[in-house]
Amino acid sequence: MKLILSDKNKRVITGNVEIKFKDSSEKHLICVTARAKGALQLSPSASDDEDLTVEIDHKKFPKLSDPNRMTDSPAAFSGGSIHNLSKSVFFVAKLTGEEHVIKLKADNIPSCATLESLEVHALGPGEKVELKISRSAEDGDRRQWMTFVVDDLPLYSFNISATVYKRYRDSDDLKIVIDGETKSHFKENKERPTDPQLPDWFYRFWYFAGALLMGKRVISGFTTKLSKGLHYVEIYADGTPYVESVSFNFSQPMEPEFQRQIRKYKDDKFGRDYNQLDQYILSSVEHWNNFFLSQEYPPPEPLDPNFVKAVIYRESRLGYYPSSNIVDVMQVWDDRNPPRAAFLGETSANEFVSPEVVKHISYSYPVGKNPPRVESREDSVFWGIRWLYYKAQFLKPDANRKPALPYVRMWRTWEEAAAKYNANPELLRDYMSEVLKVYHEGVDLDGNVLWRS
Amino acid sequence: MAKLKIPLIIFLLFIAVPSFLLVKTHLQRERDKVLGEDIENNYQLMKNYPIVSFSIEKTINLGKGKRLAQVYHVFDSISGLAVIDYADNFIEWLPIGKPFFRDDYFPVPGEILDWLRFDNLGGSAKDGGTYLLAQFANTGTAGVHPFYVYSYGDSGFRLILNLVESSSTVEIGDLNDDIKDEIIHDYSIAGIGKIERDLLRWKDIWRLEGETPVRVNSLFPQEYQSLINLYDLALTKKEWVPDVTFYYPVIRCLKGKAELTIKNNLVGPESCLNKLKQMLSRN
């Protein structure tokens, strides 16, 4: 996550206020913290609460059950609900173009609200959203405290780490509502909490109940499997609960076993450590698998880190040829080979982005890795796997071999992708036969047994 | 009303005639451009061809209203060589100039154009002449740079030399100052992995006798000493023993060929490649 804008100028918002920023990243996290008063807090005679709504690039965030209702949407700051207590709304949104505008709209003039802070972060492609909140709610009765707005994205799961304390008279409680459905601790876990003296029905809608958890830090995950669209995750506070962190997965993560099972190679002859790149392989495969699995037309089969390991064995003996100092272990940055120019945009390398857009692969470069460079083995593995993914896909053509709108992405098998990765006209079968022999049987050209099943 | 018609017609003629003459002169100039003149980057779509996604990337004037165009299929990432007119209409593909994926993975004539030019191959560094030289690059770790030499005459283009090898480079130069350029093709006989690309190297030197390519390695023995040095290093470097031992028979074969070349024998690496293929198939 890269901070693009930070506005901590606390001020009263009257009418409409526009805050502009420039950034061409595809996804952004926008955090607005504000407070709004209820009618009775304004004056005994006031008939209307303060309300504040947010629009991003003219996109509105209405109540899910009624697209015309804005001020009582979970994404709005409604004085009647929050009673001048601080509320934060986190928007995870896909924005197009470079120039963006956030519009803060106080309800009818002279209504106003108080903006406490506004932050904009750019998210890298495929980047998991993990937020360190480390904050206690201001003391108050049951009200909205935080809302996470996920726009134009799927939402596979949501995790929260929180602590609630048992207190005299009124303990801390925390309620989780996802797309209008209140998460019940009992329903989710199908078990009662351990304290039989407490009337559990009382807490069935407060997922974290201080009287039951008594200061224990609890990490809870919610698998939502919501398809692409507008989604709200609301957190209600009662008392002063503490939230340490929250995280979102927009796509189904790879099975942990699949991620972690990388075969260990052995070298009895020369004592080489052929497993020295395993961590780079695992992390890069996980990154690009998650990136492409979260897109439309995901690969039918995620890339297997063991397949990558076999390719690297063929390309550079897993970092031992021509010397143990070799950096470009996947050979993706070799001066003589064109992928480097393609990565840097000097030559064309276009792929599917959405049913409406085909463009250069640079759209996928994570923040902090743009422009690409290979200065370490980790870089070589990271970009080598990206190149393999580029070679694995193509656009579905029509009868004239012209990709037709809306674009549809097709996938080659990983073996075909590796053949294109090497692109050797004469010895393709030999290249692939060794890669596959190492991958499937663990034996190289020399007959060295690298692993046994 | 009739009074207005005559001045209006005169006015229209006054505008139309010079415009027509200007356009005609411009088109005439375009048609009169000589072979090899005005290399341009274009980026228009090629017209009058069933596949509509070919972008015209680079053109060279051929004269007589025609241009040579390198076209690029932006979705398939594949290039071709075509003759087009000044309105970007397709006329014909050059031999092997029509883009397609051989075996569904290897693009022909190539993926991305490295360079193309007309050359007389007459020892002059200047462009121009009736040989069209084109080098492409395929974006794989094998580092294949397909190279083509066409002759161009009244009957159009004729392919006279096509070199497709791994980890390849082509240099054009007059190695013996006889006012005839040589084509020096440096490559790996098998660009499977880095070991093969680095060590199983060979060099062919070509010369065109009219429209016939002739391999003239034996005329330039001095070009082969560096290969022998490389093979010796590969056969003796201790650090490479774990990785290179398997290839020793092929490297010894290549070294033998280079030694024969130095003794003015005309030989190529084909039998060494066959040896490698046999070794690979045994495994």
Side-chain angles (χ1 to χ4, degrees), chain A residues 194-429:
Chain A
T194 49
D195 190 343
Q197 294 177 343
L198 290 162
D200 54 16
W201 57 267
F202 186 79
Y203 300 102
R204 69 187 186 278
F205 292 127
W206 290 85
Y207 198 86
F208 295 82
L212 305 177
L213 296 170
M214 294 184 286
K216 195 170 117 188
R217 177 169 160 262
V218 174
I219 300 170
S220 289
F222 303 88
T223 304
T224 53
K225 297 184 184 175
L226 296 170
S227 56
K228 188 177 162 184
L230 177 62
H231 304 291
Y232 296 127
V233 176
E234 298 169 71
I235 298 179
Y236 284 72
D238 184 25
T240 59
Y242 175 80
V243 170
E244 187 179 353
S245 64
V246 296
S247 65
F248 295 86
N249 277 318
F250 300 110
S251 59
Q252 183 171 7
M254 286 187 298
E255 293 296 321
E257 303 90 279
F258 187 72
Q259 284 185 40
R260 293 191 192 113
Q261 275 185 3
I262 189 160
R263 291 181 196 114
K264 294 294 174 194
Y265 290 10
K266 62 186 175 64
D267 175 26
D268 296 335
K269 273 191 193 169
F270 305 102
R272 289 173 167 181
D273 177 11
Y274 282 140
N275 305 308
Q276 58 181 338
L277 304 175
D278 284 3
Q279 199 47 50
Y280 302 147
I281 296 170
L282 283 170
S283 61
S284 296
V285 165
E286 183 189 6
H287 174 90
W288 290 117
N289 273 345
N290 286 338
F291 178 80
F292 284 101
L293 287 169
S294 70
Q295 289 193 340
E296 284 183 75
Y297 304 111
E301 187 188 343
L303 179 57
D304 182 351
N306 289 300
F307 186 73
V308 174
K309 191 167 179 176
V311 169
I312 302 176
Y313 184 81
R314 193 66 197 84
E315 289 290 345
S316 69
R317 286 290 184 273
L318 284 162
Y320 279 98
Y321 178 82
S323 77
S324 53
N325 297 323
I326 181 176
V327 170
D328 187 16
V329 291
M330 269 194 96
Q331 291 289 285
V332 76
W333 217 248
D334 190 325
D335 282 343
R336 293 168 296 184
N337 299 339
R340 175 184 180 153
F343 271 123
L344 296 173
E346 293 162 8
T347 57
S348 181
N350 299 320
E351 71 180 18
F352 173 96
V353 177
S354 70
E356 297 79 33
V357 179
V358 168
K359 65 178 179 183
H360 188 261
I361 56 173
S362 55
Y363 81 95
S364 66
Y365 299 169
V367 175
K369 282 188 179 287
N370 192 3
R373 52 183 175 266
V374 172
E375 293 172 344
S376 65
R377 293 171 163 207
E378 190 176 5
D379 291 339
S380 177
V381 173
F382 186 83
W383 293 113
I385 291 169
R386 178 64 182 91
W387 194 246
L388 200 51
Y389 253 109
Y390 168 67
K391 290 287 187 178
Q393 51 186 296
F394 62 100
L395 295 171
K396 186 179 181 182
D398 64 10
N400 291 325
R401 283 196 69 77
K402 179 197 170 194
L405 277 164
Y407 300 124
V408 174
R409 172 163 45 195
M410 312 284 283
W411 291 91
R412 298 182 173 90
T413 65
W414 288 112
E415 290 179 21
E416 289 167 341
K420 285 180 74 72
Y421 183 88
N422 183 256
N424 184 327
E426 302 301 334
L427 290 163
L428 170 85
R429 283 184 191 158

Side-chain angles (χ1 to χ4, degrees), chain A residues 145-188:
Chain A
W145 177 28
M146 283 185 259
T147 298
F148 299 91
V149 182
V150 176
D151 184 36
D152 199 24
L153 288 164
L155 179 58
Y156 186 81
S157 64
F158 164 72
N159 299 299
I160 179 168
S161 166
T163 309
V164 280
Y165 289 93
K166 184 177 182 180
R167 299 186 194 280
Y168 178 65
R169 285 179 183 273
D170 193 5
S171 298
D172 300 336
D173 302 309
L174 208 60
K175 182 159 75 174
I176 312 289
V177 180
I178 300 178
D179 279 0
E181 185 195 340
T182 302
K183 295 293 167 184
S184 163
H185 189 79
F186 305 107
K187 190 178 163 190
E188 294 285 326

Side-chain angles (χ1 to χ4, degrees), chain B residues 7 11 83 93 96-97 129 141 148 189 200 213 220 226-227 233 247 266:
Chain B
F11 175 74
V83 178
W93 293 110
I96 320 187
T141 54
Y148 303 83
I189 64 166
L200 305 188
F220 302 96
S226 59
L227 282 180
L233 183 69
Y247 299 96
L266 179 57

